[in-house]
Amino acid sequence: MQVKDKIVIVTGAGSGIGAAAAKHFATHKAKVVVSDIKKEKADKIVEEITKDGGEAIAIVANVSKFDEVDALIKETVSAYGQLDVIVNNAGIGPRNMTRTGEYALEDWHDVIDVNQTGVFYCMKLALQQMKKQGHGNIVNVASLAGLKASINNISYSASKFAVVGMTKSAALEYATKNIRINAVCPGYTESALLDKLLSVRPDMDDLLKSVIPMKRYGQANEVADAIVWLASDNTKFITGQTITLDGGTSL
C-alpha cells in the first residue's frame, strides 16, 4: 500500500486497533506519530516499531482537551514539516452498560468527550493544517454501533453515529481541497473494550459469536489493514465512505 514517507498521526495508539495501525503504517514505511493518553504505552509501541526498522515518535495527548490536540498537531508539523494522515482512533466505552433511563450522566459525558468531541477537535485542527499544505487524509474509527442499534450503550452509540456523520459532512466540504475523509466501522473486535464487556458478562461470549456469521471476533490487524488502505494513495477516489468490518454481523 502506498503510504511510504507519509507523516501519520494515530491517536489511541498505545493498544488495540491504534497500536496495530501504527505498526502497520510503519511496516509500509510511513513515519508514525504514536499518540496516546498514557506515555508508557506510546513509548512501548514506538520501541517496537523502531526495533523492527520503522520510524516513529511518541506524543502524549488527551483528545478531549483542545489544547493538547493543538499541541499534538503542532509538534508533528514541527518534527516533520507536514501532516499527511491522521487516524482518529482514541475512544472509550462506558463504565456501566445500562438502559437509557438509568444511564449515568458521568458515563454520557466522558464517552461523548472522547469519542465525539475528541474526534471533532482532531478533525478541526488537522483540516486547518491539511488545507494550508494542500492535501491530507483522515480516517476515523467509528463502529458497527454507529450504523445500527446498540442496546444499553447510548453514549457509545451516539458518539459513533456522530463520527459517521462528521466523516460524511467533512468529506463533502473538503472534496475539492485534495483532502479525503473516510471511516472504518469495526464490529465485535478483540480489544480492551470487548474484554471489559466479557469480564462483566462471560455469558456474552457465546451470544455475541452467535450473531456473527463468521462465528469469531475481528482482529485488530484486520481493521488496521483497512485503515492503512484508506490512508494510502491506492484509494484516491474514495471519500465520505464507511467501511464495515464485522464478519457479516450487519447482514
Side-chain angles (χ1 to χ4, degrees), residues 5 9 14 57-58 92 127 164 172 190 197:
D5 294 328
I9 293 174
I57 61 173
I92 62 172
L127 283 165
V164 170
L172 191 58
E190 291 185 358
L197 172 61

Side-chain angles (χ1 to χ4, degrees), residues 88-153:
N88 294 316
N89 166 75
I92 62 172
R95 293 172 184 82
N96 299 292
M97 296 181 69
T98 186
R99 292 184 179 183
T100 302
E102 290 75 47
Y103 211 81
L105 293 180
E106 184 180 18
D107 277 338
W108 171 266
H109 291 298
D110 288 350
V111 172
I112 295 297
D113 283 350
V114 174
N115 295 9
Q116 181 173 333
T117 304
V119 171
F120 166 66
Y121 288 164
C122 289
M123 289 178 67
K124 174 181 173 63
L125 292 167
L127 283 165
Q128 291 175 5
Q129 172 61 30
M130 290 172 175
K131 185 178 178 184
K132 186 187 306 181
Q133 66 195 25
H135 73 275
N137 193 316
I138 296 174
V139 182
N140 293 324
V141 179
S143 171
L144 183 60
L147 298 173
K148 61 187 293 294
S150 180
I151 63 170
N152 300 331
N153 207 13

Side-chain angles (χ1 to χ4, degrees), residues 144 187-190 194 204-218 245-251:
L144 183 60
Y188 299 110
T189 304
E190 291 185 358
L194 182 62
M204 288 291 286
D205 185 53
D206 289 338
L207 178 61
L208 293 179
K209 287 178 179 174
S210 73
V211 301
I212 304 172
M214 288 188 178
K215 303 304 177 187
R216 68 171 178 87
Y217 301 127
L245 302 99
D246 66 354
T249 305
S250 53
L251 300 174

Side-chain angles (χ1 to χ4, degrees), residues 47-84:
E47 183 180 349
E48 291 176 15
I49 288 172
T50 54
K51 185 178 179 180
D52 289 337
E55 183 173 346
I57 61 173
I59 300 178
V60 176
N62 178 344
V63 298
S64 70
K65 307 294 184 184
F66 185 82
D67 289 347
E68 294 190 27
V69 176
D70 190 35
L72 168 63
I73 303 295
K74 287 177 177 175
E75 287 180 42
T76 299
V77 175
S78 176
Y80 291 110
Q82 64 187 47
L83 171 61
D84 299 308

Side-chain angles (χ1 to χ4, degrees), residues 10-33:
V10 183
T11 68
S15 61
I17 291 170
K23 293 176 186 178
H24 204 33
F25 274 111
T27 297
H28 287 275
K29 307 303 181 184
K31 298 173 183 179
V32 186
V33 176

